[in-house]
């Protein structure tokens, strides 16, 4: 008897649906059916995928043959699966040239089908929601969905519910829009604004760089549609990041920035304020309120960006998360990040991968970002075939299994349709989604560049190509939606407005730059160097401090913790309540607790920060059996702010960018990033150069990000000794940041508190200790915490000034090495003065020390770093007197420290010996 005879009597649509489920998610099918389908696929593969069904049957014994009709149904299901999986490779998405050819194609014969089957009705059509239908109609349906102006990649997603949702959306109207006449006119209006803005600038500012959007103008109606629809879905805050391509167009036609201001920037006028230097017009940020067509008032922000492509993506995510934490904690999806990429940049810049890996992490998720690639098919002069190994520039999306929509930028309705699809996915699943807007770049990298040098064939085609507005207008005229004069009228009205703005701009002599997110920064003012040097009251009531200590030195009852954790927490309790000797870790936690009790939030991230690289923090403790996380700082008595602390992914560039963005949007939070070792921060060098040191000068941005950088020479080799202090100090200028290297827990405590107790914000770079975390002399009292203040220098109270012959200025941990040597030598004629704040340099205090110890005939700057590193060069630039100091340091080296422990000890001791021998020649 035919073992598959039961298949003849069953509904083939049921088996087709079951096979479809098996192809997408094998584990979702009952095991016996899975085994059956595996055998069926094996048979096809053994016979060759292009084998005719009759051949397959002929090679199978009659007892084992699957009925012909059912085999055909399965072949059609395979075809459907082929379109879903590979249809994006065969789309009409390239507006200016033929697509590359891919094999195998979606030809019928590749699925065991032929033209003879085209008019056969197959139940597999049920899978597509079109019921039983002819193969011809099924293919038409598949071509419309997967191979027209939109190509969709999604079959790599592992969640069946997401795939089902996507397929249901695609099946609606064959993945084509069905817009009303009014919506079509709105799309045309935004297209006209995009086109007319560029042609106006091209006429008025010939040859000036503007990084035109021409070739990708449909980006404007797409973003407009996202904002309008998202507002109707409850989104209240939008945060966008984009590079220079199309930015001016976006600022004017999406963000509502007055074209008058942009024209002033084009005219190169000076700024109306002396306190900052500004930036080129296509790097500036903007914030505005916008009333949507449906009457919703929304807040929209575009972050300032440097020329370093993709950097701004991390910043945007941080801004978005800060807004979610502070204003939309219960409804984080009401903040929508939109990150705009270039095709060459998204494929080539590693920070994109870092940021995308954050998307679903507790400490970094923003509940889904809409990524839009303005795909010019070229990077400056580099062809896309030389710019990536992957098929698509968006293949990084597969990292997080995010769907990708490739869309022809010339098909305006398809672009808006894809944008709305992307929004729906984000709002439904809270995950990232990518739009690859495939267009072209009308001119060279900038308007003065000649692209035909490197792409003559492509630019010959582009020169003959109509813009997206004219293509769409022609379509609407054919549909009877508009008449022949409609576009001319739109263009004349828009250009008339631009002319008016141009005239007004030329009546003004200066241009004014507006900082973004001023609503978040109300009450905060920029600070000069003099204001930065003013003392700040960082005292905190001792009884309140004791209450905090009570809360963070006692683990919750009824939960079992590791014996070592119990010992650490009990030890802290004894430090505070019995010995009154507070170490570095406890002082740090008390600083956070005091700020939390004053209503501030604290956010700390970095590699291993919950425990601390050197096991000194333990801000998060875990219950032994359940691994439940306990953050004692969130369990203080009474009202308090929130302590957010997260171990980060193994990234510096992306994470520092994120935390900088967070600080941009949350001045009432203490935002901290800690490096695992200080020198690892050089992985974030672009953030340091383009944002942390320069953003206030360029963009009027205040920022209070704190960077904790473990630093100190303790024999750990070249990579774990120096935090590269000299690089930060070289970036210091006038009033752009604080840099400190503290030596006592109390001073570190007050430094952290000072960061939030002023009405301004500056980045704070702190070189933090390693061995000092457990040094017996590195202790402070609770009274020093409660009643003290931050000391920019710490004098030497253990010597008599008139007996001092050698005055040594030193910073950081090296002080304790010198102190130990002085005690061993019993040298009471040597004063050790600690410089705790390196920038702004406390010149007044240093000069006061020089005056106090005026009997000293030997003044030394001592550092453990090589001469070409550390703070010595900084001192020479900012303190003229330093030119006369005797410098004691390692000699000039390329590497910060020796790898050999013997060599390290020898060099280190030589520097120490030199300090106490004024006749040494340590040159």
């Amino acid at each position: 008897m035919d073992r598959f005879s039961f298949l003849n009597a069953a509904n083939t649509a049921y088996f087709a649906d079951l096979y479809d489920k098996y192809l997408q998610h094998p584990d979702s099918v009952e095991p016996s059916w899975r085994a059956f389908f595996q055998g069926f696929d094996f048979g096809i593969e053994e016979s060759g995928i292009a084998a005719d069904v009759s051949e397959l049957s002929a090679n199978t014994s009659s007892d084992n043959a699957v009925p012909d009709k059912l085999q055909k149904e399965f072949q059609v299901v395979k075809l459907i699966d082929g379109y879903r999986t590979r249809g994006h490779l065969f789309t009409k998405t390239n507006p200016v040239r033929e697509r590359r050819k891919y094999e195998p194609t979606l030809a019928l014969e590749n699925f065991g089908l032929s033209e003879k089957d085209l008019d056969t009705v197959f139940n597999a059509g049920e899978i597509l929601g079109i019921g039983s239908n002819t193969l011809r109609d099924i293919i038409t349906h598949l071509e419309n969905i997967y191979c027209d102006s939109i190509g969709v990649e999604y079959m790599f997603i592992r969640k069946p519910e997401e795939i089902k949702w996507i397929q249901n959306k695609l099946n609606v109207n064959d993945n084509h829009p069905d817009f009303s006449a009014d919506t079509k006119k709105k799309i045309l209006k935004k297209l006209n604004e995009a086109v007319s803005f560029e042609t106006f600038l091209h006429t008025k500012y010939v040859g000036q760089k503007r990084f035109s959007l021409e070739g990708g103008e449909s980006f404007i109606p797409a973003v407009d549609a996202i904002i309008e629809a998202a507002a109707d879905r409850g989104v209240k805050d939008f945060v966008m990041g984009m590079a220079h391509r199309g930015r001016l167009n976006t600022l004017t036609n999406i963000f509502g920035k007055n074209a008058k201001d942009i024209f002033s920037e084009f005219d190169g006028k000076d700024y109306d304020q002396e306190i900052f230097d500004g930036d080129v017009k296509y790097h500036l940020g903007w914030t505005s309120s916008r009333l949507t067509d449906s009457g919703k008032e929304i807040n929209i922000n575009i972050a300032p960006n440097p020329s370093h492509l993709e950097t701004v993506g991390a910043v945007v995510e941080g801004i978005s998360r800060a807004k979610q934490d502070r204003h939309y904690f219960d409804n984080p999806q009401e903040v929508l990040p939109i990150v705009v990429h270039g095709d060459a940049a998204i494929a080539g810049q590693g920070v994109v991968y870092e940021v995308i890996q954050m998307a679903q992490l507790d400490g970094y998720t923003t509940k889904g970002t809409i990524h839009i690639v303005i795909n010019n098919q070229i990077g400056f002069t580099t062809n896309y075939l030389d710019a990536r190994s992957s098929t698509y520039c968006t293949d990084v999306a597969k990292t997080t299994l995010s769907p990708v929509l490739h869309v022809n930028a010339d098909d305006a309705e398809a672009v808006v349709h894809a944008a709305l699809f992307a929004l729906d996915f984000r709002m439904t699943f809270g995950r990232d989604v990518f739009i690859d807007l495939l267009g072209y770049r009308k001119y060279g990298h900038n308007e003065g560049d000649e692209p035909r040098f490197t792409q003559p064939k492509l630019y010959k085609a582009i020169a003959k190509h109509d813009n997206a507005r004219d293509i769409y207008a022609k379509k609407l005229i054919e549909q009877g939606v508009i008449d022949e004069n409609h576009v001319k009228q739109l263009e004349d009205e828009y250009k008339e407005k631009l002319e008016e703005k141009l005239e007004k701009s030329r009546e003004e002599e200066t241009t004014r730059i507006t900082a973004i997110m001023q609503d978040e920064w109300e009450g905060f003012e920029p600070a000069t160097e003099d204001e930065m040097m003013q003392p700040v009251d960082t005292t905190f009531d001792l009884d309140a401090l004791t209450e905090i200590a009570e809360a963070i030195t006692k683990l919750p009852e009824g939960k079992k913790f590791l014996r070592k954790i119990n010992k650490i927490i009990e030890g802290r309790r004894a430090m505070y309540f019995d010995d009154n000797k507070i170490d570095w870790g406890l002082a740090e936690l008390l600083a956070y607790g005091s700020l939390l009790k004053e209503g501030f939030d604290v956010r700390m991230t970095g590699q291993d920060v919950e425990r601390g690289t050197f096991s000194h923090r333990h801000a998060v403790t875990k219950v032994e059996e359940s691994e439940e996380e306990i953050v004692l700082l969130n369990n203080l008595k009474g009202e308090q702010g929130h302590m957010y602390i997260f171990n980060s992914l193994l990234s510096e560039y992306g994470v520092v960018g994120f935390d900088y963005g967070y600080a941009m949007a949350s001045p009432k939070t203490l935002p901290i990033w800690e490096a695992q070792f200080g020198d690892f921060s050089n992985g974030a060098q672009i953030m340091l150069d383009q944002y942390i040191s320069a953003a206030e000068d360029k963009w009027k941005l205040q920022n209070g990000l704190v960077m904790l950088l473990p630093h100190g020479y303790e024999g750990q080799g070249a990579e774990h000794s120096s935090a590269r202090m000299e690089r930060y100090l070289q970036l210091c200028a006038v009033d752009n940041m604080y840099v400190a290297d503290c030596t006592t827990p109390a001073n570190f405590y007050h430094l952290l508190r000072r960061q939030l107790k002023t009405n301004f914000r500056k980045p704070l770079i702190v070189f933090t200790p390693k061995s000092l975390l457990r040094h017996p002399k590195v202790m402070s009292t609770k009274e020093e915490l409660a009643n003290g203040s931050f000391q920019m220098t710490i004098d030497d109270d253990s010597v008599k000034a008139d007996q001092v012959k050698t005055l040594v200025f030193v910073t950081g941990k090296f002080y304790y090495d010198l102190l130990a040597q002085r005690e061993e030598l019993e040298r009471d004629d040597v004063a050790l003065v600690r410089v705790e704040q390196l920038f702004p340099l406390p010149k007044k205090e240093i000069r006061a020390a020089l005056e106090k110890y005026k009997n000293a005939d030997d003044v030394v700057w001592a550092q453990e770093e090589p001469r070409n590193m550390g703070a010595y060069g900084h001192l020479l630039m900012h303190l003229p007197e330093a030119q006369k100091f005797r410098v004691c340091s390692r000699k000039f080296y390329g590497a910060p420290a020796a790898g050999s422990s013997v060599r390290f000890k020898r060099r280190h001791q030589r520097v120490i010996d030199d300090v106490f021998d004024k006749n040494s020649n340590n040159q």
Side-chain angles (χ1 to χ4, degrees), residues 524-544:
F524 293 87
E525 298 294 334
T528 63
E529 183 178 3
D530 287 343
E531 291 166 318
M532 292 172 69
M533 298 297 280
Q534 295 303 311
V536 177
D537 182 4
T538 54
T539 59
F540 189 79
D541 181 73
L542 182 57
D543 291 338

Side-chain angles (χ1 to χ4, degrees), residues 271-549:
Y271 304 109
D272 64 348
Q273 293 171 289
E274 288 291 333
I275 61 170
F276 84 112
D277 286 334
D279 199 358
V280 292
K281 50 196 168 289
Y282 37 81
H283 287 175
L284 302 175
W286 190 259
T287 295
S288 61
S289 291
R290 170 169 161 169
L291 194 67
T292 68
D293 293 345
S294 59
K296 308 283 194 313
E297 187 167 340
I298 55 171
N299 184 264
I300 53 179
N301 310 272
I302 185 167
N305 68 286
S307 286
H308 296 66
L309 300 175
E310 301 298 340
T311 303
V312 76
V315 176
V316 163
E317 300 295 350
I319 293 171
S320 301
R321 178 58 181 261
K323 286 176 173 288
Q324 290 171 341
D325 284 351
R326 195 143 189 93
H327 304 301
Y328 304 95
F329 191 83
D330 295 324
N331 298 291
Q333 282 188 278
E334 292 182 6
V335 179
L336 174 60
I338 302 171
V339 179
V340 184
H341 310 266
D343 52 310
I346 192 174
Q349 293 292 313
V351 70
V352 176
Y353 182 85
E354 295 180 34
V355 172
I356 287 171
Q357 278 288 16
M358 298 178 187
Q360 294 168 42
L361 302 180
D362 287 347
Y364 303 93
T365 179
T366 53
K367 303 303 177 185
T369 297
I370 296 177
H371 298 266
I372 305 175
V373 180
I374 298 179
N375 190 338
N376 301 313
Q377 308 185 55
I378 191 171
F380 206 144
T381 67
T382 303
N383 282 313
Y384 72 96
L385 291 172
D386 296 321
R388 62 179 185 267
S389 297
S390 59
T391 301
Y392 295 114
C393 62
T394 51
D395 279 351
V396 70
K398 296 182 177 73
T399 303
T400 48
L401 305 178
S402 300
V404 182
L405 297 100
H406 307 278
V407 58
N408 189 323
D410 272 0
D411 189 338
E413 287 190 16
V415 172
V416 172
H417 182 67
L420 295 175
F421 179 104
L423 174 66
D424 280 349
F425 182 86
R426 187 268 181 178
M427 298 304 291
T428 303
F429 297 106
R431 298 215 302 113
D432 284 13
V433 57
F434 289 72
I435 299 171
D436 177 16
L437 185 63
L438 201 72
Y440 55 92
R441 188 188 66 195
K442 185 173 180 180
Y443 304 106
H445 177 65
N446 59 67
E447 286 65 32
D449 197 37
E450 175 52 82
R452 289 176 297 179
F453 287 147
T454 50
Q455 283 82 25
K457 187 176 176 181
L458 173 62
Y459 274 86
K460 188 175 181 180
I462 289 172
K464 299 174 183 176
H465 198 75
D466 288 340
N467 65 54
R469 180 199 64 187
D470 293 346
I471 291 170
Y472 189 48
K474 184 178 178 182
K475 179 180 176 181
L476 295 189
I477 291 169
E478 290 172 355
Q479 292 176 356
V481 175
I482 61 171
D483 59 30
E484 297 278 355
N485 297 320
H486 188 83
V487 172
K488 182 71 165 61
Q489 185 179 346
L490 284 177
E491 189 172 20
D492 289 346
E493 289 174 359
Y494 185 73
K495 286 192 173 179
E496 186 178 339
K497 291 178 183 176
L498 293 180
E499 287 285 2
E500 290 174 7
K501 301 289 175 61
L502 180 61
E503 287 304 315
K504 287 183 179 178
S505 78
R506 288 179 173 169
E507 293 171 3
E508 299 175 1
E509 294 182 358
T510 60
T511 186
R512 183 174 186 81
I513 302 301
T514 305
I516 73 166
M517 294 186 293
Q518 289 183 331
D519 53 327
E520 301 283 1
W521 288 86
E522 189 175 346
F524 293 87
E525 298 294 334
T528 63
E529 183 178 3
D530 287 343
E531 291 166 318
M532 292 172 69
M533 298 297 280
Q534 295 303 311
V536 177
D537 182 4
T538 54
T539 59
F540 189 79
D541 181 73
L542 182 57
D543 291 338
L545 191 68
T546 300
E547 275 195 2
I548 295 169

Side-chain angles (χ1 to χ4, degrees), residues 574-864:
M575 275 184 207
Y576 190 93
F577 291 100
D578 300 336
D579 304 331
N580 196 14
K581 290 183 177 179
I582 297 167
D583 71 0
W584 200 278
L586 181 55
E588 178 187 346
L589 296 178
L590 289 168
Y592 301 150
S594 68
L595 292 169
L596 293 169
K597 286 302 295 179
E598 290 174 331
F600 298 107
D601 290 338
V602 177
R603 174 185 165 90
M604 183 177 210
T605 78
Q607 294 152 28
D608 314 301
V609 296
E610 294 178 4
R611 189 203 74 171
T613 301
F614 311 105
S615 198
H616 79 286
R617 184 171 294 118
H618 296 282
V620 178
T621 56
K622 292 195 176 184
V623 178
E624 186 173 358
E625 298 300 327
S626 66
E627 293 197 354
E628 176 192 356
E629 294 188 346
I630 306 294
V631 181
L632 295 173
L633 281 166
N634 280 329
N635 297 317
L636 308 179
K637 284 185 180 179
E639 295 202 359
Q640 65 167 100
H642 196 92
M643 178 73 188
Y644 301 100
I645 182 164
F646 302 102
N647 287 339
S648 76
L649 65 161
L650 196 64
S651 152
E652 287 83 34
Y653 187 0
V655 172
V656 171
F658 187 102
D659 287 332
Y660 182 90
Y662 196 101
M664 272 177 68
S666 192
K668 294 181 181 177
T669 296
L670 181 67
I672 303 169
W673 177 77
E674 180 176 62
Q676 193 178 64
F677 286 88
D679 53 332
F680 289 176
S681 67
N682 59 18
Q685 195 66 45
I686 288 174
M687 283 305 307
L688 303 174
D689 293 341
Q690 310 310 318
Y691 282 91
I692 291 168
S693 65
E696 189 168 2
D697 256 9
K698 293 192 294 187
W699 306 317
K700 282 190 176 178
L701 289 186
Q702 293 192 63
N703 195 288
L705 178 65
V706 179
M707 298 180 71
L708 303 183
L709 309 177
H711 174 88
Y713 280 59
E714 290 147 358
Q716 292 187 319
E719 265 68 62
H720 295 327
S721 297
S722 173
R724 295 290 189 172
M725 179 185 293
E726 62 282 352
R727 292 185 180 171
Y728 293 89
L729 294 174
Q730 187 265 337
L731 292 171
C732 292
V734 188
D735 55 14
N736 64 338
M737 66 175 92
Y738 284 113
V739 179
D741 190 4
C742 300
T743 58
T744 72
N747 222 25
F748 184 52
Y749 167 94
H750 289 291
L751 179 68
L752 292 172
R753 283 186 51 75
R754 183 182 74 172
Q755 192 69 357
L756 290 191
K757 299 296 284 183
T758 61
N759 69 337
F760 60 85
R761 295 289 179 264
K762 303 283 183 180
L764 169 62
I765 313 300
V766 190
F767 301 105
T768 52
K770 294 173 288 182
S771 62
L772 299 193
L773 297 173
R774 295 174 179 82
H775 196 295
K777 290 193 173 183
V778 184
M779 296 285 181
S780 298
T781 66
K782 64 184 78 170
E783 290 78 16
E784 287 173 329
L785 269 61
N787 304 322
S789 63
F790 177 70
Q791 298 172 267
M792 291 184 281
T793 61
I794 298 179
D795 197 5
D796 192 340
D797 295 331
S798 64
V799 294
K800 295 180 179 178
D802 58 353
Q803 295 179 8
V804 169
K805 300 300 180 184
T806 297
L807 168 60
V808 181
F809 291 104
V810 65
T811 187
K813 162 252 168 190
F814 197 43
Y815 161 77
Y816 289 97
D817 297 339
L818 298 179
L819 179 63
Q821 183 82 349
R822 186 178 71 176
E823 290 174 351
E824 183 180 329
L825 297 174
E826 298 181 349
R827 291 282 300 271
D828 57 5
D829 63 334
V830 177
L832 302 176
V833 175
R834 288 167 271 178
V835 181
E836 302 277 293
Q837 178 170 294
L838 293 167
F839 193 82
L841 191 67
K843 292 177 257 190
K844 178 181 175 184
E845 288 77 3
I846 292 173
R847 285 166 180 152
L850 289 169
E851 177 62 27
K852 177 179 177 180
Y853 299 104
K854 57 187 175 184
N855 289 343
D857 58 5
D858 181 32
V859 181
V860 176
W861 171 257
Q863 65 178 43
E864 53 188 350

Side-chain angles (χ1 to χ4, degrees), residues 138-352:
I138 289 171
I139 290 173
T140 299
H141 186 72
L142 291 169
E143 285 284 327
N144 287 338
I145 290 176
Y146 293 106
C147 298
D148 199 4
S149 291
I150 302 175
V152 189
E153 289 187 276
Y154 68 97
M155 289 295 283
F156 47 75
I157 294 173
R158 295 176 190 148
K159 292 185 177 179
E161 65 272 21
E162 290 186 8
I163 285 190
K164 188 66 177 173
W165 183 92
I166 290 170
Q167 289 174 350
N168 288 340
K169 288 283 286 186
L170 295 177
N171 289 341
V172 175
N173 202 38
D174 284 3
N175 192 27
H176 280 64
D178 185 20
F179 295 136
S180 67
D182 286 343
T183 300
K184 291 178 179 182
K185 288 178 181 177
K186 174 71 181 296
I187 293 171
L188 181 62
K189 178 175 179 288
K190 298 308 290 184
L191 270 177
N192 176 69
E193 291 173 359
V195 171
S196 298
F197 180 78
E198 298 294 356
T199 55
F200 188 85
L201 291 180
H202 193 65
T203 303
K204 301 295 181 181
Y205 298 99
V206 178
Q208 277 210 44
K209 289 183 184 180
R210 67 177 192 276
F211 297 100
S212 150
L213 186 58
E214 288 160 287
E217 296 97 334
S218 53
F219 171 78
I220 296 296
V223 174
D224 183 73
I226 289 172
I227 290 173
E228 292 286 336
D232 290 338
R233 297 281 296 264
V235 174
K236 296 180 174 64
D237 233 312
F238 296 81
V239 186
M240 179 184 278
M242 68 184 299
H244 40 280
R245 178 75 53 208
R247 188 184 186 90
L248 299 179
N249 207 314
T250 304
L251 281 167
T252 300
N253 293 316
I254 296 296
F255 285 82
K257 182 174 181 178
N258 197 323
K260 173 178 71 69
D261 297 328
I262 290 177
F263 297 148
S264 288
E265 293 156 12
F266 265 103
D267 287 331
K269 298 172 184 175
D270 199 2
Y271 304 109
D272 64 348
Q273 293 171 289
E274 288 291 333
I275 61 170
F276 84 112
D277 286 334
D279 199 358
V280 292
K281 50 196 168 289
Y282 37 81
H283 287 175
L284 302 175
W286 190 259
T287 295
S288 61
S289 291
R290 170 169 161 169
L291 194 67
T292 68
D293 293 345
S294 59
K296 308 283 194 313
E297 187 167 340
I298 55 171
N299 184 264
I300 53 179
N301 310 272
I302 185 167
N305 68 286
S307 286
H308 296 66
L309 300 175
E310 301 298 340
T311 303
V312 76
V315 176
V316 163
E317 300 295 350
I319 293 171
S320 301
R321 178 58 181 261
K323 286 176 173 288
Q324 290 171 341
D325 284 351
R326 195 143 189 93
H327 304 301
Y328 304 95
F329 191 83
D330 295 324
N331 298 291
Q333 282 188 278
E334 292 182 6
V335 179
L336 174 60
I338 302 171
V339 179
V340 184
H341 310 266
D343 52 310
I346 192 174
Q349 293 292 313
V351 70
V352 176

